[in-house]
Amino acid sequence: MDDDFVIEEDEALKSFLPHGFGKQDVKANVALQIERSKRPSVRATKAHDDGGYGIANQEQGSITANSHKDHDDDQDDDDDDDEDDDDDEEAEFPVSHELVLKTHERTITSMTLDASGSRLVTGSTDCTVKFHDFASMTPSTLRAFKSVDPTATKTSASSETHPIHHVEFNPVSPTSILIVSALPQVKIFSRDGEPIGESVKGDMYLRDMHNTKGHISEITTGTWHPTDRDMCVTAGTDSTLRIWDCSVRMMQKDVIVHKSKAAGSAGRTRMTAVAWGASPQGNSSNLVAAALDGSLVMWGGNGPYTRPSAEIRDAHQRDTWTGGLDISSDGRTVVTRGGDDTIKLWDTRKFKTPISTVTHTSTSSQYPSTDIKYSPTSSSIITGSEEGSLHILNPATLKPELVTPVTPSSPLTTLLWHPKLNQILTGSANAETHVLYNPSISSRGAATVMSRAPKRRHIDDDPNLTTDLSQGLSADAIISPNGNLSTNRQQHSKPLTGLTASGRSRDPRRPHVPVTTPFAKSQPDEKHVRDNIPLSSMRDEDPREALLKYADKAEKDPIFTGAWRKTQPKTIYAELSDEEEEEGREKKKARQA
């Protein structure tokens, strides 16, 4: 026997066999996960003197500028220098990596993050508000932990639902969320999705809006007071702004009526946007609102609100929806994005003419919520485009500093730049939420999610193989342990929780039971109505003839007066001649005269 005999190691078998027993620690390759979340190479040129800018090409990383440039072989060194400059410019903004959340079914209209940046709330035209928690997310479990329909009164197919216009965390107290839907009432929810308060609806028959206790028509948007935790303002289509005191059961504190001076408006218009920001002097705040008649109005944040401090009647074109409005952190400038395809910059100290105006295609004709926001330090302005690109503008000239595609061919409808996370969140018309970040300059949020180990998919995480007991079982359900699994998978192909956009239950174990009443879905035939609905033939009869038909029967066989029929004397009427009747009439006339 040869003692020098050595068995060669099989690397494939070694990698297959376990290295130990018991619970194994799951380790994440953080660098690889972050590298996978890196966006394709996108670059944009700096703002030119003529206001034009390049369009980034995702596949090739090349730039097609507005002005024609010749590329020769002798300019390779210059091109390399330009690429280095573009990379340095991208490093200034958190747009190098992204995290995509697909939790809605329709266009995302609004989003908000709490002050710590741990909880994300989004609203959509699918009539739901989704609650996301970054602390519980992993790269394989990017989903919302709760879905709420703030307008539904009962969970049934016949319940009425409305799209969400605006959601916003309280900047001072992040325990409450302002939710504005397409209703005359605004609602306050907790950070866990529980309702806290609701405003009242005003009397729509009152002409003077000062006498109403609430909005009489749909609310378009709203916002919180920058420093007071108990005050918020809402803008409605009834030409009013209403300030609410949330500390005392959503009581109306003030009513600001905007009287439109446009011809043929009868003094009323729709309020499309509102912003409540700081004052340049730091003493009070400014309340700025935009209207459908093209006006831009500013009031002092602390009142009185009887007369605006400044008003621009033709800030934007009339009958165009100005959905984007924001105030800088120092309160000195206001930026607006109108439905007339323009972005304008205004000075609150000289609120008459715009400082800068640039052309930017608007999407307000289809998506009213076309956001434009200042960065946390007001050093940049962000907005979306119709092509699905994120535009980062210079706050003084409104020229683009960076243009990067986020959702090509799908417009960006809402944006948010969180100050603590230093991450940009975008919502698109294709129901996607993109969290843009840069690992070197961003903290927590999406960066923390991508640094966690992916969660191993347990059998209980597969809805095709489990039963959601919170939804219950129908009485006629048949549970067969040895049944066909393929049939069960087909039945559970959709999520089991929540309702669809039409209000029907997604639970396949609860089949839709058709309503059997005659007037449910279609008009029944005449025979069905006559045979099944009592007294239905009386609808076509003359009431007088129907009563006289029983006159002879009532006289011969009375039901109610039969007890005294034999004892009741026969009625004897006095017989008067024609002359006596004439005298009686004359005496009556003389007596009345």
Side-chain angles (χ1 to χ4, degrees):
M1 186 174 180
D2 191 2
D3 296 338
D4 298 335
F5 179 74
V6 179
I7 300 176
E8 296 181 359
E9 294 183 357
D10 189 352
E11 295 295 337
L13 180 63
K14 187 176 180 180
S15 60
F16 175 76
L17 295 175
H19 297 283
F21 299 95
K23 184 178 180 181
Q24 302 294 325
D25 294 334
V26 180
K27 297 182 180 179
N29 190 344
V30 179
L32 179 60
Q33 290 181 168
I34 293 180
E35 183 65 24
R36 288 177 179 175
S37 68
K38 188 173 183 180
R39 305 176 65 232
S41 179
V42 291
R43 290 183 294 274
T45 59
K46 297 181 179 180
H48 300 293
D49 295 336
D50 56 354
Y53 51 90
I55 302 175
N57 189 332
Q58 261 186 310
E59 297 179 355
Q60 301 177 359
S62 61
I63 302 168
T64 305
N66 293 339
S67 61
H68 179 70
K69 294 181 180 180
D70 296 331
H71 298 281
D72 298 330
D73 296 337
D74 298 337
Q75 295 179 347
D76 291 341
D77 296 337
D78 297 337
D79 293 340
D80 295 337
D81 296 339
D82 293 340
E83 290 181 1
D84 295 337
D85 295 339
D86 294 334
D87 294 336
D88 295 340
E89 188 173 356
E90 280 188 15
E92 299 177 5
F93 307 109
V95 295
S96 60
H97 298 67
E98 70 176 351
L99 179 69
V100 183
L101 304 176
K102 300 179 181 180
T103 55
H104 283 282
E105 298 178 359
R106 295 184 182 178
T107 304
I108 299 176
T109 56
S110 180
M111 60 176 57
T112 181
L113 266 171
D114 62 350
S116 62
S118 60
R119 184 149 298 183
L120 169 65
V121 179
T122 57
S124 171
T125 54
D126 60 5
C127 308
T128 59
V129 176
K130 304 286 186 178
F131 290 77
H132 311 77
D133 194 359
F134 286 124
S136 61
M137 285 186 184
T138 63
S140 60
T141 57
L142 300 175
R143 53 175 176 255
F145 72 89
K146 190 169 186 178
S147 177
V148 177
D149 187 351
T151 62
T153 56
K154 55 182 179 179
T155 57
S156 64
S158 60
S159 61
E160 185 177 345
T161 56
H162 299 271
I164 308 301
H165 287 334
H166 185 76
V167 293
E168 184 177 348
F169 266 105
N170 193 327
V172 182
S173 175
T175 57
S176 55
I177 307 172
L178 179 72
I179 299 180
V180 176
S181 58
L183 284 175
Q185 295 101 340
V186 61
K187 295 186 178 182
I188 305 295
F189 275 68
S190 67
R191 63 182 289 112
D192 296 325
E194 300 297 331
I196 298 177
E198 180 183 4
S199 65
V200 298
K201 182 180 179 181
D203 189 352
M204 65 180 67
Y205 297 103
L206 294 179
R207 178 64 183 173
D208 190 359
M209 292 291 101
H210 292 92
N211 298 329
T212 55
K213 297 182 179 180
H215 287 281
I216 65 172
S217 58
E218 178 183 348
I219 302 177
T220 56
T221 185
T223 186
W224 289 98
H225 192 280
T227 56
D228 193 341
R229 57 180 295 177
D230 296 327
M231 288 180 60
C232 65
V233 62
T234 56
T237 56
D238 55 359
S239 192
T240 64
L241 299 177
R242 298 178 187 266
I243 300 176
W244 304 90
D245 187 356
C246 303
S247 62
V248 188
R249 220 177 68 182
M250 289 292 291
M251 290 187 62
Q252 182 175 274
K253 189 175 181 181
D254 288 291
V255 182
I256 307 174
V257 180
H258 172 61
K259 295 183 179 179
S260 176
K261 298 178 177 62
S265 63
R268 288 193 179 184
T269 185
R270 297 181 181 182
M271 310 305 293
T272 60
V274 63
W276 208 337
S279 176
Q281 290 78 16
N283 299 326
S284 62
S285 56
N286 286 331
L287 183 62
V288 183
L292 189 64
D293 60 355
S295 59
L296 189 65
V297 194
M298 182 173 62
W299 293 271
N302 298 332
Y305 307 105
T306 54
R307 182 177 297 178
S309 58
E311 180 179 2
I312 305 172
R313 298 179 62 178
D314 298 323
H316 288 277
Q317 187 177 345
R318 182 184 173 185
D319 295 332
T320 59
W321 194 274
T322 304
L325 173 63
D326 198 16
I327 305 175
S328 62
S329 57
D330 56 3
R332 296 182 183 273
T333 55
V334 175
V335 63
T336 58
R337 181 181 176 184
D340 53 356
D341 298 339
T342 59
I343 296 177
K344 297 185 179 182
L345 188 67
W346 312 85
D347 191 346
T348 56
R349 297 161 295 181
K350 190 179 180 182
F351 209 62
K352 293 182 179 180
T353 57
I355 304 174
S356 301
T357 302
V358 295
T359 302
H360 192 85
T361 305
S362 175
T363 59
S364 61
S365 59
Q366 189 174 1
Y367 309 103
S369 56
T370 53
D371 269 353
I372 185 167
K373 298 288 185 181
Y374 275 98
S375 65
T377 58
S378 298
S379 59
S380 301
I381 298 175
I382 59 173
T383 187
S385 68
E386 190 178 14
E387 297 80 15
S389 299
L390 173 66
H391 293 243
I392 302 180
L393 311 178
N394 186 289
T397 61
L398 297 182
K399 293 182 179 180
E401 296 179 348
L402 182 69
V403 180
T404 174
V406 179
T407 53
S409 71
S410 182
L412 294 185
T413 54
T414 180
L415 306 104
L416 177 66
W417 194 332
H418 196 269
K420 191 170 184 179
L421 303 182
N422 194 19
Q423 298 175 12
I424 300 176
L425 291 84
T426 65
S428 306
N430 61 356
E432 290 184 359
T433 303
H434 290 244
V435 185
L436 307 181
Y437 70 100
N438 190 330
S440 58
I441 61 177
S442 301
S443 62
R444 304 174 62 180
T448 305
V449 173
M450 298 309 298
S451 63
R452 294 194 182 101
K455 182 181 178 182
R456 288 185 177 180
R457 191 170 183 83
H458 193 267
I459 187 172
D460 293 339
D461 295 334
D462 190 356
N464 298 329
L465 306 175
T466 58
T467 300
D468 190 359
L469 295 180
S470 63
Q471 299 294 327
L473 293 174
S474 59
D476 55 350
I478 299 175
I479 302 176
S480 177
N482 299 324
N484 189 4
L485 293 178
S486 61
T487 306
N488 295 334
R489 291 191 183 99
Q490 292 176 3
Q491 292 178 351
H492 297 79
S493 59
K494 292 184 178 180
L496 301 178
T497 58
L499 301 175
T500 61
S502 60
R504 295 178 180 270
S505 176
R506 283 198 183 121
D507 191 357
R509 298 165 310 211
R510 291 184 177 181
H512 176 65
V513 180
V515 186
T516 57
T517 56
F519 300 96
K521 298 298 180 183
S522 62
Q523 292 294 335
D525 55 356
E526 184 178 354
K527 183 177 181 301
H528 179 82
V529 174
R530 185 171 58 253
D531 296 342
N532 294 276
I533 300 179
L535 304 178
S536 60
S537 60
M538 295 180 62
R539 298 185 305 170
D540 302 328
E541 280 187 303
D542 185 10
R544 184 173 180 276
E545 294 180 358
L547 290 174
L548 292 177
K549 184 171 61 175
Y550 299 98
D552 296 339
K553 185 178 180 180
E555 185 177 356
K556 294 178 181 179
D557 188 15
I559 298 177
F560 302 103
T561 60
W564 58 83
R565 181 176 55 180
K566 297 181 180 180
T567 60
Q568 185 70 13
K570 186 177 180 180
T571 305
I572 301 175
Y573 297 100
E575 296 181 359
L576 300 177
S577 61
D578 296 339
E579 296 180 356
E580 291 176 347
E581 289 181 1
E582 290 293 337
E583 293 178 359
R585 293 193 190 97
E586 292 178 359
K587 290 180 180 179
K588 190 175 181 180
K589 290 180 181 180
R591 203 180 305 118
Q592 292 177 354

